[in-house]
Amino acid sequence: MKDDFTEILDFNTDEKRSVGRPKLADKKTKRKSIIIASVSFIFVILLLIFGYGTLFGFRNLNLKGAVSKSEEKDIVKVDEIKPLVKDITLKAGTARKVYLTVLPATATNKNISYSSSDEEVAIVDSSGKVTGVSVGNAIITAKTTDGTNLSATFDVKVVKNATGKCKFTSISKTSKGISYNTECNNAVIKEIQYKVGDNNYEKLLTKKASDEIKFSDEQMKDKITLKVVYYQNNSKVSKYSTKQVEFNTKTTTRKNGSCTLDINSVKTGSAKYDITCDNASVTKIAYKIGNGSYVGLDSSSIADTVLFEESDVTRVIYFNVEYQIDGTNVKKTVTKSSIIDKKITTSKGE
């Protein structure tokens, strides 16, 4: 073995060294030195790895397997998705977002993909916003994208977006009581009602757009409120508008006025509001669920039903109404809230 090694390195063991000034290394000698240094370095490294691996913390040389196992351990898969509100009703041309509970909360990839069973009825974008296209029914499917292929569905019903209104255009005093005139745009009158003071509403037998209502002299001394209940665009959902008059006062425009707000029929996913104004006009209507942001509503719809999504945590709906006193620039607001599940309404003040 010794002879083989010396032959490789071109050493002549029988050659006698000459005494005197050392010779400079030639190219062949330099190459031999580099080879010896390289072999020695590799040998030392292997010795450190196999002999002293524990000291450096990598005795287990399966580094690739260890990294993969660590990465796999850090990935948390989704094991359940479920809709907060499964049944959704939309008016054609309107949109709302659907919401899911994704469990566990620590899931690594919570991204969801959405699709619609009938895009001629309803379409959905990548964020889960559903837009009603035309009257009908569609199923929105939500799927996980982390490889688990879990899915949940929303049943969407799109109804006709009924637009239209009836309102009182004039109310005047007569010798027998008061006469009124109404005007309807894309709506039909269901009934006419009235109330004297703070009494309950009474329904008239007439459905005429213009007519005369008899009141006693005593009743005429109090404030009288007329209500026209109507159907929009052949819809079977009724709405109404009101107008209040008071003849036992000066005809000059009063500088006081107010609007009152009532919240009725509070259910999971919907609530009805009613606004009655006296010498004032509604300028803004909005609502919000829990600590969310306010959603603006049509200020001309002083009575309507709003649809919303509420979670297991959020149980309160808030309404905010801004109104302006007639004949002035004075604006005021009234806010009310209602607990969704217990149907208890509380006022936050005016």
Side-chain angles (χ1 to χ4, degrees):
M1 175 128 183
K2 178 179 178 183
D3 294 337
D4 295 337
F5 187 69
T6 55
E7 183 180 350
I8 293 173
L9 297 179
D10 198 22
F11 288 150
N12 188 351
T13 55
D14 297 329
E15 184 180 347
K16 295 184 178 179
R17 295 179 178 270
S18 60
V19 180
R21 185 177 181 181
K23 296 181 179 180
L24 295 176
D26 56 13
K27 291 183 180 180
K28 189 173 182 180
T29 304
K30 289 181 179 179
R31 180 170 60 83
K32 295 175 183 178
S33 300
I34 292 172
I35 294 174
I36 294 172
S38 299
V39 172
S40 300
F41 179 77
I42 294 173
F43 178 77
V44 171
I45 293 299
L46 292 175
L47 180 64
L48 289 174
I49 292 176
F50 291 99
Y52 302 97
T54 305
L55 178 62
F56 296 96
F58 47 80
R59 179 173 289 277
N60 183 3
L61 297 179
N62 188 14
L63 299 179
K64 182 177 180 181
V67 172
S68 300
K69 187 175 181 180
S70 175
E71 290 178 351
E72 184 178 351
K73 184 179 179 181
D74 292 340
I75 296 175
V76 179
K77 296 287 188 178
V78 177
D79 58 29
E80 183 182 7
I81 59 172
K82 59 181 180 180
L84 288 181
V85 177
K86 181 178 175 62
D87 298 317
I88 296 173
T89 300
L90 276 177
K91 291 180 180 179
T94 64
R96 66 178 293 183
K97 193 172 181 180
V98 295
Y99 294 94
L100 289 165
T101 298
V102 180
L103 298 174
T106 56
T108 304
N109 181 3
K110 292 184 180 181
N111 293 330
I112 303 294
S113 65
Y114 297 90
S115 62
S116 173
S117 64
D118 191 344
E119 293 191 345
E120 293 185 358
V121 174
I123 58 175
V124 60
D125 66 11
S126 59
S127 68
K129 185 177 75 172
V130 180
T131 302
V133 178
S134 61
V135 176
N137 295 277
I139 296 175
I140 302 299
T141 302
K143 286 186 177 181
T144 55
T145 60
D146 66 345
T148 56
N149 291 323
L150 299 176
S151 65
T153 59
F154 300 85
D155 296 324
V156 177
K157 179 180 180 181
V158 180
V159 298
K160 193 172 185 179
N161 190 359
T163 57
K165 188 176 183 179
C166 291
K167 63 180 181 178
F168 291 99
T169 56
S170 66
I171 298 177
S172 58
K173 186 178 181 181
T174 67
S175 59
K176 297 180 180 180
I178 62 174
S179 65
Y180 69 87
N181 291 288
T182 63
E183 180 182 84
C184 292
N185 180 19
N186 200 29
V188 294
I189 295 176
K190 177 186 177 183
E191 60 192 35
I192 304 291
Q193 301 178 12
Y194 75 91
K195 71 175 181 177
V196 178
D198 296 326
N199 296 324
N200 295 328
Y201 277 102
E202 300 286 345
K203 184 170 69 174
L204 299 178
L205 295 177
T206 180
K207 296 183 182 179
K208 294 181 180 179
S210 301
D211 206 348
E212 183 181 38
I213 307 173
K214 295 180 180 180
F215 291 101
S216 66
D217 293 339
E218 190 65 26
Q219 288 177 316
M220 292 293 289
K221 293 178 182 179
D222 207 340
K223 60 184 178 183
I224 297 175
T225 305
L226 298 186
K227 177 193 287 188
V228 53
V229 184
Y230 57 90
Y231 293 125
Q232 292 181 318
N233 198 17
N234 297 321
S235 167
K236 292 304 179 182
V237 178
S238 63
K239 295 188 175 184
Y240 65 82
S241 63
T242 62
K243 193 172 184 67
Q244 190 177 80
V245 293
E246 194 168 352
F247 295 104
N248 196 31
T249 60
K250 295 181 180 180
T251 56
T252 56
T253 302
R254 295 177 297 164
K255 292 186 179 181
N256 62 327
S258 64
C259 290
T260 58
L261 169 66
D262 293 316
I263 306 175
N264 305 309
S265 303
V266 182
K267 302 175 182 178
T268 300
S270 68
K272 184 177 181 180
Y273 69 89
D274 297 312
I275 305 170
T276 302
C277 293
D278 177 18
N279 196 42
S281 303
V282 174
T283 56
K284 291 182 181 179
I285 308 173
Y287 80 95
K288 70 174 183 176
I289 305 298
N291 294 324
S293 301
Y294 274 103
V295 178
L297 300 172
D298 184 358
S299 60
S300 65
S301 297
I302 60 175
D304 203 350
T305 299
V306 296
L307 303 175
F308 56 86
E309 291 183 0
E310 57 91 16
S311 68
D312 294 335
V313 178
T314 304
R315 311 295 301 183
V316 182
I317 182 170
Y318 300 86
F319 281 89
N320 181 272
V321 176
E322 179 185 275
Y323 62 91
Q324 181 173 337
I325 298 175
D326 292 345
T328 72
N329 293 323
V330 178
K331 289 186 177 181
K332 294 185 177 182
T333 60
V334 56
T335 301
K336 278 191 175 181
S337 62
S338 177
I339 299 175
I340 294 172
D341 55 348
K342 296 181 181 179
K343 302 181 182 179
I344 298 175
T345 303
T346 58
S347 174
K348 292 179 67 176
E350 186 172 320

